[in-house]
Amino acid sequence: MKQPVVVAGAGVIGLTVACKLQESGRYSVVVVAENAPGELPTGEKQSTKWASPWAGAHWRAWASNQDTTLQEMEIKTYRAMMSIAANVSEAGIHVAQGIDLFEELPEEKPWYISMVNDGVELPVESLPENVMYGVQYSTLLIDVPKYLNYLSTRFKSLGGTVVKKHIDHILDATQYADFEQNTMVIVNCTGLGSHTLGGVCDQAMYPSRGQTLLVKAPDAKRTITRLGKQFGYIIPRGNDTVIIGGTTDKNQWKCEPNALITDTIISRALNLEPSLLPVDARVLDKDAQVQALKKNIISVNVGLRPMRDGGVRLESESMRTAENGKVVVVHCYGHGGFGYQSSLAYADKVYDLVNAAVF
């Protein structure tokens, strides 16, 4: 008989973990989440409480040269996603050229440039104004809505169940599986929700507000990130639309779009990638270019990245129900802006922790 497991949270981490556990054949998994992939009523948007739908997303290393733990998570996921891109068209992952531009000269070469495909340093003479260093490599573009739906569909096809419910306490998740005499196992993948979720209430969690624009731009094929005071990024989704951004507003909970920020995002994005505009619009003056790209805005988006002081919480914890039943809670949350690009490796780590708790 398969061991029941309840995964709380249906973002990219929760769904990836759920797939990993379910496909092993050892576990019968139920995902419980207030928000999950699926069709919404006309005019409704996904909740800003749910970070995953608002991501870009692409693979661009978040780990510093000193953070070997996150390096491992990112490069392992990079390699796994390269395989998905080559073999699973419905996943919405594509290989593309990536460029990272640094306004300040790094003390040492970025760790990832020797580990990714086709990684090279850019010639100094090719760099934009006020950029000191740049690298180019083959990376991954993730069509977020398509990938989340792929994960959800895959999980269900493996026999998994998704229940759309809000829980107030992490132990409330135990009611969604029949554990009988089995060890009760909950995997907490609630992201920013762990800040207020009963039984967790992690005060190390905080939001980083991100505002982005989804624009129609079929000629833009590269993902480009500029790091520094003129921070900005361009992430094509492989379907003629592009996410441009963005902001990283620490401890900002407000989710209303800001018109001035929209103008700044557009201006910086055009400096990075003129091909966001049709050829005939690229000869216009700067103000006219901004207005031209504004006409191609599909949506203005605001999401809250689930940041955590101290990094990702990845550990097991023993808890007790009101009836004194033992519950093993495996925590995996706090992935900030690197959830997608580390998700598959973190799912492997959770799988190991669940195995250790059960067997």
Side-chain angles (χ1 to χ4, degrees):
M1 184 176 179
K2 293 181 180 180
Q3 163 72 40
V5 177
V6 179
V7 175
V12 67
I13 300 297
L15 289 173
T16 305
V17 165
C19 285
K20 177 69 179 181
L21 293 170
Q22 187 70 32
E23 72 185 4
S24 73
R26 289 182 164 189
Y27 302 103
S28 177
V29 183
V30 177
V31 171
V32 179
E34 184 174 2
N35 301 287
E39 294 295 324
L40 292 172
T42 303
E44 284 194 21
K45 288 186 175 183
Q46 297 288 5
S47 171
T48 51
K49 297 178 182 178
W50 185 32
S52 289
W54 304 100
H58 61 174
W59 191 98
R60 190 193 67 76
W62 189 284
S64 68
N65 279 23
Q66 292 72 44
D67 190 347
T68 55
T69 299
L70 184 52
Q71 287 177 22
E72 177 191 354
M73 299 296 99
E74 290 185 326
I75 201 63
K76 186 174 182 179
T77 300
Y78 174 89
R79 291 167 181 158
M81 283 190 168
M82 277 288 178
S83 178
I84 294 173
N87 298 295
V88 189
S89 60
E90 64 269 26
I93 299 179
H94 309 279
V95 179
Q97 183 184 92
I99 295 174
D100 297 345
L101 302 172
F102 299 77
E103 292 180 6
E104 295 185 6
L105 188 65
E107 293 183 2
E108 54 186 346
K109 185 185 296 187
W111 67 270
Y112 56 92
I113 202 61
S114 62
M115 304 185 76
V116 293
N117 299 339
D118 310 311
V120 295
E121 295 176 297
L122 293 172
V124 174
E125 60 271 16
S126 71
L127 300 176
E129 186 179 1
N130 296 321
V131 170
M132 301 295 293
Y133 180 79
V135 293
Q136 176 181 297
Y137 52 100
S138 291
T139 191
L140 296 144
L141 306 177
I142 304 163
D143 183 336
V144 164
K146 192 171 183 178
Y147 187 59
L148 289 175
N149 282 326
Y150 160 74
L151 290 174
S152 179
T153 300
R154 174 168 168 70
F155 172 62
K156 293 173 184 176
S157 73
L158 291 166
T161 303
V162 176
V163 178
K164 293 187 72 172
K165 290 287 184 180
H166 171 83
I167 59 173
D168 294 312
H169 194 287
I170 188 61
L171 294 183
D172 291 347
T174 59
Q175 66 186 288
Y176 295 100
D178 184 4
F179 289 102
E180 297 182 347
Q181 301 304 311
N182 292 290
T183 303
M184 289 188 279
V185 181
I186 308 299
V187 183
N188 175 22
C189 300
T190 57
L192 195 57
S194 287
H195 179 72
T196 55
L197 180 64
V200 184
C201 293
D202 190 340
Q203 298 307 294
M205 290 297 299
Y206 65 92
S208 173
R209 179 187 181 278
Q211 180 168 323
T212 64
L213 312 176
L214 179 66
V215 300
K216 187 78 170 176
D219 293 342
K221 304 298 182 185
R222 309 178 296 177
T223 179
I224 306 172
T225 302
R226 178 165 173 159
L227 301 162
K229 293 181 179 179
Q230 297 295 310
F231 173 69
Y233 52 84
I234 295 159
I235 307 175
R237 282 192 164 171
N239 60 358
D240 293 343
T241 67
V242 179
I243 288 284
I244 61 174
T247 61
T248 54
D249 306 318
K250 185 176 180 178
N251 281 320
Q252 290 295 317
W253 292 88
K254 293 182 179 180
C255 294
E256 295 78 17
N258 182 302
L260 293 177
I261 290 175
T262 293
D263 288 347
T264 300
I265 289 172
I266 291 174
S267 179
R268 292 181 180 179
L270 287 170
N271 287 336
L272 287 174
E273 185 60 286
S275 68
L276 287 167
L277 291 172
V279 174
D280 59 351
R282 297 173 202 171
V283 298
L284 300 172
D285 63 47
K286 185 66 176 178
D287 289 341
Q289 287 186 17
V290 169
Q291 294 306 314
L293 190 53
K294 270 189 172 182
K295 293 177 181 178
N296 291 333
I297 293 176
I298 298 170
S299 63
V300 181
N301 314 309
V302 177
L304 302 177
R305 302 177 186 90
M307 311 297 290
R308 185 174 185 272
D309 289 329
V312 174
R313 184 182 183 189
L314 178 66
E315 62 180 352
S316 296
E317 177 184 11
S318 292
M319 302 180 76
R320 292 278 178 181
T321 66
E323 297 76 25
N324 205 35
K326 181 182 177 182
V327 183
V328 176
V329 179
V330 177
H331 298 285
C332 186
Y333 64 83
H335 297 80
F338 53 86
Y340 281 86
Q341 68 198 54
S342 62
S343 56
L344 291 161
Y346 272 107
D348 289 344
K349 293 290 188 182
V350 170
Y351 178 70
D352 291 341
L353 289 173
V354 173
N355 284 340
V358 173
F359 297 104

